[in-house]
Amino acid sequence: MMRATATACSNIALIKYWGKRPGSANLPLNDSVSMTLSAATTTTTVHWDASLSQDEIYFDGERLLDHRATRISRFLDRLRERWYRMPARVHTMNSFPSGTGMASSASGFAALTVAGIAAFDEGLPPEVELSRLARAGSGSACRSLFPGYVEWVAGHDDESSLARPLLPPEHWDLRDIVVVLSAEEKEVSSSDGHKLAAIHPFMDARQQQLPARTLALKGALVRRDFETLATLVEHEALEMHAIMLSSQPAAIYFEPATIRVIKEVRRWRDDDCLPVCFTLDAGPNVHVICDASVAMEVRSRLATLVPTASLVECRPGPGVRVHGDHLCP
Ligand code: PMV
């Protein structure tokens, strides 16, 4: 039976991918750096089945018939071009509730890439090819293939734009406590946002500063220097949102509670000397990054500050893995 299952973690970018070059290969304007998130996973089973008349895609057991199914089928076409041409039955589920605004395209396309190829039962290709394929599904998915702290080298074409592991999970036990504030649909999709960002007048200035910032961030990770990390990570998140806010049309992802959490986190660091900082995705949720030693304290402060939010605490997670816990019989 041509069937396999893979689980991949989502990731949070510390240096952001926001802005891509024209074309369908998801080639970013700049290098990015992320932490793989242990508690935000997607598990996907792919079963290639020549008896099907078309792909069947199921999410949490429900058949998908909308744009999400089309996007997945289009991605499967890339695998069919390279391996065998036949329809697939795909079952997928996330460890976190859907509609939380937590990024699922990164973990989703990383798991789909690896399960889809593993199901052909001919072994997995080299990591560089997995990275290229996952990137084609969703840019940030290439970083979700790898454990711990990961770098995506922008490169200049489809061959050279590759993710690779930077530091293993055990190097630094940082925590990302995701403060889930809203389940609203995004008003600007990340795909449209990347295109708007690429032509944004601030983008040249950003690109000029990024090589030095990225180098400094990698240095802070290597030295486990929280203070430097905090300054760079917050600057990076706010700069990305400055571009989002001033794109045309504007992408305003903040909710009032987003600002409340950001301001408190900065106060906890400045006034109470807690090793804590924030970053953001293309959404209202705040990713509160802290040293493991203060994770309990930070969680309890967040629970008091935003009692209605749910908190998802992640460690530096493992890379994508193939296993036998299939989602369909
Ligand atoms: O992979 P995409 O197209 O969903 O883009 C990810 C964009 C951000 O999450 C905002 C930043 C990043 O580098 O992950």
Side-chain angles (χ1 to χ4, degrees):
M1 191 194 276
M2 296 173 88
R3 182 181 67 172
T5 298
T7 296
C9 298
S10 184
N11 68 79
I12 182 68
L14 305 175
I15 297 287
K16 307 291 183 185
Y17 154 51
W18 194 248
K20 66 179 167 191
R21 301 184 207 170
S24 61
N26 291 333
L27 296 175
L29 295 179
N30 54 267
D31 296 356
S32 54
V33 176
S34 61
M35 174 176 140
T36 302
L37 299 180
S38 65
T41 64
T42 301
T43 297
T44 299
T45 300
V46 177
H47 179 185
W48 299 104
D49 184 347
S51 72
L52 294 175
S53 59
Q54 58 175 319
D55 293 331
E56 291 179 10
I57 321 286
Y58 298 86
F59 178 69
D60 280 343
E62 297 271 328
R63 177 104 186 247
L64 289 183
L65 292 164
D66 57 9
H67 63 279
R68 292 173 293 176
T70 313
R71 187 169 171 199
I72 289 172
S73 277
R74 244 191 256 136
F75 178 77
L76 294 176
D77 288 342
R78 289 181 185 265
L79 305 188
R80 285 187 272 256
E81 265 166 35
R82 165 86 162 66
W83 280 271
Y84 301 101
R85 289 174 193 273
M86 68 178 86
R89 191 177 298 107
V90 175
H91 281 263
T92 190
M93 56 181 279
N94 294 330
S95 66
F96 46 94
S98 54
T100 56
M102 287 182 68
S104 57
S105 68
S107 51
F109 279 98
L112 183 66
T113 303
V114 170
I117 298 173
F120 288 123
D121 206 17
E122 294 189 350
L124 291 175
E127 280 178 352
V128 290
E129 190 164 358
L130 289 178
S131 169
R132 201 152 47 225
L133 283 163
R135 165 170 50 76
S138 179
S140 56
C142 66
R143 296 188 309 237
S144 272
L145 297 170
F146 301 108
Y149 301 90
V150 181
E151 164 178 51
W152 173 12
V153 179
H156 52 272
D157 60 12
D158 194 41
E159 298 291 308
S160 57
S161 185
L162 297 168
R164 60 184 182 205
L166 201 57
L167 291 161
E170 59 279 11
H171 171 75
W172 192 0
D173 191 8
L174 287 179
R175 300 292 162 87
D176 175 4
I177 304 171
V178 190
V179 185
V180 180
L181 294 171
S182 164
E184 302 247 321
E185 270 280 309
K186 292 181 191 175
E187 58 180 303
V188 176
S189 73
S190 62
S191 181
D192 290 343
H194 285 299
K195 291 182 203 146
L196 292 171
I199 55 168
H200 194 287
F202 297 173
M203 192 45 91
D204 280 350
R206 169 166 166 75
Q207 291 302 323
Q208 275 172 31
Q209 291 181 5
L210 269 176
R213 192 182 303 162
T214 305
L215 203 61
L217 184 279
K218 288 198 276 186
L221 282 175
V222 168
R223 297 191 311 277
R224 302 186 196 91
D225 170 354
F226 195 91
E227 216 176 293
T228 306
L229 179 99
T231 309
L232 295 167
V233 163
E234 291 189 355
H235 181 191
E236 180 61 9
L238 292 172
E239 186 172 284
M240 177 177 76
H241 276 265
I243 289 179
M244 292 163 163
L245 287 164
S246 52
S247 287
Q248 284 180 312
I252 307 172
Y253 293 114
F254 294 150
E255 295 290 332
T258 310
I259 305 287
R260 197 150 21 102
V261 174
I262 286 176
K263 290 202 153 194
E264 275 302 281
V265 164
R266 286 165 75 94
R267 209 179 57 73
W268 298 340
R269 186 167 77 252
D270 292 344
D271 296 356
D272 306 339
C273 298
L274 281 185
V276 61
C277 67
F278 72 86
T279 187
L280 301 155
D281 246 333
N285 298 333
V286 187
H287 289 249
V288 178
I289 313 274
C290 64
D291 193 83
S293 57
V294 296
M296 286 248 286
E297 169 70 16
V298 171
R299 273 187 83 121
S300 101
R301 289 183 182 214
L302 288 168
T304 310
L305 180 66
V306 272
T308 53
S310 39
L311 304 177
V312 180
E313 183 175 337
C314 302
R315 301 161 181 259
V320 65
R321 55 215 180 272
V322 177
H323 56 82
D325 293 332
H326 305 300
L327 295 181
C328 52

